[in-house]
Amino acid sequence: MRSFTVTKNDAGKRLDSFITKTAPLLPKNLLYKYIRLKRIKLNGKKSEISARLKENDVIDMYINDEFFEKNEYTYSFMKAPKQLNIVYEDDNIMLLDKKAGVLSHPDNGEYIDTLITRVQRYLYEKGEYDPKNENSFAPALANRIDRNTGGIVIAAKNAQTLKILNEKIKNRELKKMYLCVIVGYLKKKSGILESYMVKNEQKNRVFVYDHPVEDGKTAKTGYKVLAESNGLSLLEVELFTGRTHQIRAHMASIGHPLLGDGKYGTNSVNKKYGGYKKQFLYSYRLDFDFKTDSGILSYLGGKSFTVGDVWFKTAFLNGEL
């Protein structure tokens, strides 16, 4: 028999979800059977699989050890590099300046060196995260940025923070501002682009339409020209919606792709300006524009955070592109 005490980070989870994470090798049919036969108990009693857990609840599992993962105290995230560019940190969140070329999360090609594994190593070595004391929660990113784009990414240190951030992102209560360099000059020096976007999952590419289409999602992008030089424009961009590749696809759709963008731009043009392998796009500012209750993160309401070093901004303003 193994016994687990529900921590703050697991409070609010369903019983079956908790069991799935703590005994990942236990088949679903056995999970439900063991709950029915009282081989899995909540606070010493039979419980419904949908029961919501509370902090300090005790879950007893009378199941074979084979259904639990072996205790492994050599964590893969410890192989991740230590380097992190921290914009802001407190007991609940971290704001990180992700550099272009770094993955936000593991993918099929890279599992170790990602932003989230770097964060987990950092917090583990700092003593703020110990997987042995967590039944299911691990520090997580609330937003993500494409590998070849840089900018501010938010990491949640606890489950309550992650839940609040997810709600705020969904309700558009976090304002993200970008800097980018596009090819050419815009006739209108500020404006809002509105269209419909459809993502092709197989090609990992977005297609833009000026009229409603099947599976099309509305996309709204605001922009302002900050400077122009050498056939290029430096823009500040605001996202009013959060579609995949939204800025890249939107600018390309009006004939002004981002410099360095190999997917939506033109290789010959990119080569002319130095052959950069990453798009000139940076999420440089984050505003906490809370309009509803924000719980333990209420102290962040009205605050704004900015990345000081955007790799292409100074070069552009100095006429080096």
Side-chain angles (χ1 to χ4, degrees):
M1 188 270 284
R2 295 197 188 187
S3 183
F4 299 87
T5 301
V6 176
T7 65
K8 181 186 296 186
N9 285 327
D10 291 316
K13 281 187 169 59
R14 284 172 50 120
L15 176 61
D16 54 349
S17 176
F18 180 93
I19 296 169
T20 297
K21 290 199 173 184
T22 52
L25 304 181
L26 179 66
K28 286 283 187 181
N29 62 325
L30 281 182
L31 186 157
Y32 300 133
K33 180 179 180 180
Y34 288 170
I35 291 177
R36 190 171 64 253
L37 296 177
K38 294 193 288 187
R39 290 182 62 175
I40 297 177
K41 298 180 181 180
L42 176 60
N43 297 322
K45 300 177 181 178
K46 181 180 179 181
S47 177
E48 297 295 326
I49 60 173
S50 59
R52 293 286 176 178
L53 302 178
K54 299 177 182 178
E55 187 175 1
N56 296 321
D57 278 350
V58 176
I59 299 169
D60 297 321
M61 300 188 194
Y62 297 84
I63 64 178
N64 296 341
D65 288 340
E66 66 192 70
F67 298 124
F68 297 94
E69 288 184 321
K70 293 181 179 179
N71 289 329
E72 181 58 70
Y73 301 121
T74 302
Y75 303 110
S76 59
F77 59 71
M78 290 301 292
K79 299 177 182 178
K82 290 186 176 183
Q83 184 179 2
L84 277 177
N85 297 285
I86 300 173
V87 177
Y88 172 80
E89 181 181 6
D90 62 32
D91 291 341
N92 296 312
I93 71 166
M94 297 176 68
L95 301 184
L96 306 153
D97 179 9
K98 187 194 83 68
K99 300 303 182 182
V102 177
L103 280 169
S104 294
H105 295 99
D107 65 7
N108 292 332
E110 177 58 65
Y111 182 79
I112 299 299
D113 185 10
T114 68
L115 186 63
I116 188 56
T117 51
R118 293 186 186 191
V119 167
Q120 290 172 351
R121 175 174 183 171
Y122 169 81
L123 293 176
Y124 179 79
E125 292 182 333
K126 195 179 178 186
E128 292 188 27
Y129 168 54
D130 186 352
K132 295 194 301 295
N133 296 328
E134 295 288 351
N135 293 315
S136 61
F137 180 80
L141 304 183
N143 66 312
R144 57 166 293 170
I145 294 179
D146 293 339
R147 181 172 196 157
N148 290 325
T149 300
I152 298 177
V153 176
I154 314 170
K157 292 186 177 183
N158 54 67
Q160 191 173 0
T161 292
L162 183 61
K163 180 180 179 180
I164 293 171
L165 289 173
N166 286 338
E167 290 177 353
K168 297 303 179 185
I169 291 172
K170 179 181 179 181
N171 296 332
R172 311 300 299 172
E173 294 182 48
L174 296 183
K175 181 179 178 182
K176 293 180 285 185
M177 302 296 292
Y178 292 75
L179 291 177
C180 69
V181 174
I182 63 168
V183 177
Y185 300 146
L186 293 167
K187 292 181 179 180
K188 291 182 63 176
K189 303 308 175 185
S190 64
I192 295 177
L193 305 176
E194 296 186 69
S195 62
Y196 299 86
M197 294 188 176
V198 177
K199 182 180 180 182
N200 184 308
E201 295 287 351
Q202 290 182 330
K203 296 182 179 180
N204 190 30
R205 185 184 180 95
V206 170
F207 295 90
V208 182
Y209 301 87
D210 60 5
H211 57 274
V213 293
E214 185 178 0
D215 297 326
K217 295 182 178 180
T218 56
K220 189 175 179 181
T221 306
Y223 71 88
K224 179 173 68 175
V225 176
L226 301 180
E228 298 174 332
S229 176
N230 193 28
L232 303 171
S233 300
L234 176 67
L235 272 58
E236 181 182 62
V237 178
E238 179 178 359
L239 291 181
F240 297 104
T241 53
R243 309 305 176 204
T244 301
H245 300 168
Q246 181 172 320
I247 296 174
R248 299 166 62 190
H250 237 163
M251 291 301 167
S253 73
I254 61 171
H256 297 280
L258 270 59
L259 183 62
D261 193 338
K263 184 182 291 288
Y264 297 97
T266 305
N267 288 332
S268 60
V269 175
N270 292 333
K271 190 173 182 179
K272 172 185 172 183
Y273 287 98
Y276 290 95
K277 300 296 184 182
K278 53 187 176 182
Q279 57 264 13
F280 283 52
L281 179 63
Y282 219 93
S283 178
Y284 86 105
R285 197 180 90 202
L286 175 67
D287 300 340
F288 289 88
D289 189 23
F290 295 155
K291 296 180 176 63
T292 57
D293 179 58
S294 47
I296 62 171
L297 300 184
S298 60
Y299 60 91
L300 290 171
K303 290 190 176 182
S304 178
F305 298 89
T306 304
V307 172
D309 179 25
V310 177
W311 64 275
F312 55 80
K313 180 181 178 181
T314 301
F316 186 97
L317 295 177
N318 290 340
E320 298 172 359
L321 293 181

